[in-house]
């Protein structure tokens, strides 16, 4: 029950807020911890860790490209005022990196989740040897990320530590279930058919965890921002023919024209299959959450690689 004095304090705060010069969003905004997250995948994971403990703002829209999305001036200001700024890092968010750096310089605590998950290098392509930021394709690395996120939000001092730890453990057990389901599902793919050709190099972590070969990518780098040359496409066509793979995986949020060109040029029959590789969808789409996204991709990969040509 709300005490009389508490009610009085609220009234006093309200009348203060209505004074000229004091009125405005800042005076009326809640004193809940405000956490800003760059990508929608990390936004969903962070929301699961926080539950009702803090407000989470996600900058990247649904069905967007994490390599290229940018923020408005208002969002940049929100980043600079956050109590914690969570980003994927390892070079993923090229369009907002300068905003992340500006917020860090302004004193906002930041968490580069990619740095906490034991990153691997790109194994292949023009960016071979550089850190691969696409760690969410491995659910066990996401489980590690959950601990890093929980630690960082607890460090803000504005949340109930016990609640956050419980939420983190609950979500980690769902990630364990996801990992077991994926292991079981991928077991249906014969080892010689475990070959991935993707739009760009997005499934390195999944390949390592579940024993796939990354044969190549339409965009020969770790980013969607570089274009393939015709000789890149030719060598990929050769690789497809040599490996005899039946499917090329494109991203649902990006143009699959080049993947289609590739499929048409290869002498073997290749299906172009759309995956939710690096963005969630709207709530009514096929990948509204990270868990739904990972399951939808595993189903599509398994169907694509076990289909009889
Ligand atoms: Zn990517």
């Amino acid at each position: 029950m709300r005490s009389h004095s508490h009610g009085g304090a609220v009234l006093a705060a309200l009348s203060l807020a209505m004074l000229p010069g004091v009125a405005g969003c800042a005076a009326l905004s809640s004193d809940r911890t405000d956490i800003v997250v760059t990508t929608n995948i990390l936004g969903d994971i962070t929301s699961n860790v926080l539950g009702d403990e803090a407000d989470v703002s996600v900058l990247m829209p649904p069905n967007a490209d994490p390599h290229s999305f940018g923020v408005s001036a208002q969002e940049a200001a929100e980043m600079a005022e956050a109590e914690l700024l969570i980003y994927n890092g390892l070079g993923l968010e090229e369009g907002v990196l300068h905003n992340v750096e500006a917020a860090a310089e302004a004193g906002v605590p930041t968490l580069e989740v990619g740095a906490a998950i034991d990153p691997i290098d790109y194994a292949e392509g023009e960016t071979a040897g550089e850190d691969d930021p696409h760690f969410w394709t491995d659910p066990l690395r996401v489980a590690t990320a959950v601990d890093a996120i929980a630690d960082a939000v607890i460090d803000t001092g504005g949340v109930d530590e016990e609640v956050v730890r419980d939420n983190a453990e609950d979500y980690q057990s769902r990630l364990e279930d996801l990992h077991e389901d994926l292991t079981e599902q991928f077991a249906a793919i014969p080892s010689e058919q475990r070959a991935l050709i993707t739009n760009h190099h997005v499934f390195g972590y999944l390949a390592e965890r579940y024993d796939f070969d990354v044969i190549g990518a339409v965009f020969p780098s770790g980013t969607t921002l570089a274009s393939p040359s015709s000789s890149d496409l030719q060598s990929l066509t050769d690789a497809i023919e040599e490996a005899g793979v039946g499917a090329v995986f494109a991203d649902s949020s990006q143009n699959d024209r080049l993947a289609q060109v590739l499929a048409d040029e290869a002498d073997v029959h290749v299906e172009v299959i759309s995956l939710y590789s690096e963005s969630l969808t709207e709530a009514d789409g096929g990948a509204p959450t990270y868990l739904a996204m990972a399951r939808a991709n595993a189903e599509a990969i398994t169907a694509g690689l076990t289909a009889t040509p």
Side-chain angles (χ1 to χ4, degrees):
M1 207 172 82
R2 191 170 271 178
S3 74
H4 180 76
S5 61
H6 188 168
V10 168
L11 271 182
L14 280 175
S15 35
L16 252 186
M18 284 181 278
L19 287 173
V22 184
C25 295
L28 283 175
S29 73
S30 75
D31 52 7
R32 283 159 61 83
T33 301
D34 187 23
I35 291 170
V36 176
V37 186
T38 56
T39 71
N40 52 39
I41 293 172
L42 281 180
D44 176 51
I45 295 163
T46 301
S47 296
N48 275 282
V49 172
L50 280 162
D52 296 326
E53 287 298 302
D55 293 324
V56 178
S57 303
V58 179
L59 300 171
M60 177 181 157
N63 305 309
D65 178 348
H67 298 277
S68 64
F69 80 99
V71 295
S72 66
Q74 194 183 343
E75 288 168 324
E78 194 186 357
M79 292 169 83
E81 286 165 13
E83 276 156 88
L84 173 64
L85 174 58
I86 297 177
Y87 69 111
N88 189 97
L90 303 179
L92 181 74
E93 305 102 318
E94 293 177 60
V96 295
L97 188 59
H98 62 289
N99 304 97
V100 172
E101 284 167 353
E105 274 165 32
V108 174
T110 58
L111 171 65
E112 182 183 20
V113 180
I117 52 84
D118 184 22
I120 60 174
D121 293 345
Y122 286 114
E124 209 256 344
E126 281 172 9
T127 42
E130 292 175 26
D131 283 336
D132 181 347
H134 306 88
F135 70 85
W136 58 85
T137 64
D138 173 7
L140 297 186
R141 278 199 170 72
V142 174
T144 304
V146 164
D147 281 329
I149 291 167
D151 289 345
V153 297
I154 288 164
D155 278 349
T156 65
V159 297
D160 184 326
E161 174 166 2
E162 205 178 324
V163 173
V164 169
R165 293 282 178 217
D166 282 352
N167 290 344
E169 273 178 35
D170 284 351
Y171 194 64
Q172 282 167 329
S173 72
R174 297 170 74 189
L175 292 167
E176 288 283 342
D177 291 346
L178 173 68
H179 168 61
E180 282 169 28
D181 292 349
L182 263 52
T183 305
E184 200 175 318
Q185 194 152 26
F186 291 146
I189 310 170
S191 56
E192 69 275 13
Q193 282 162 248
R194 291 189 174 211
L196 289 175
I197 293 169
T198 51
N199 206 43
H200 72 295
H201 285 289
V202 71
F203 284 109
Y205 287 89
L206 178 133
E208 189 204 53
R209 179 66 68 199
Y210 300 106
D211 201 19
F212 286 84
D213 273 336
V214 176
I215 303 273
V218 179
F219 292 85
S221 71
T223 169
T224 56
L225 306 180
S227 287
S229 66
S230 58
S231 73
D232 289 332
L233 287 176
Q234 185 53 53
S235 58
L236 190 53
T237 308
D238 295 345
I240 291 174
E241 287 170 16
E242 197 183 307
V245 296
V248 170
F249 299 99
D251 189 278
S252 62
S253 66
Q254 282 146 24
N255 194 321
D256 69 354
R257 187 180 59 81
L258 279 171
Q260 292 288 359
V261 167
L262 198 73
D264 294 344
E265 282 185 3
D267 263 348
V268 287
H269 177 73
V270 181
E271 202 84 49
V272 177
I273 294 173
S274 184
L275 299 179
Y276 306 107
S277 46
E278 46 188 6
S279 176
L280 302 186
T281 62
E282 307 275 4
D284 59 358
T289 66
Y290 167 72
L291 295 171
M293 167 193 194
R295 287 203 156 85
N297 288 341
E299 263 169 46
I301 289 170
T302 306
L305 297 181
T306 53
T308 40

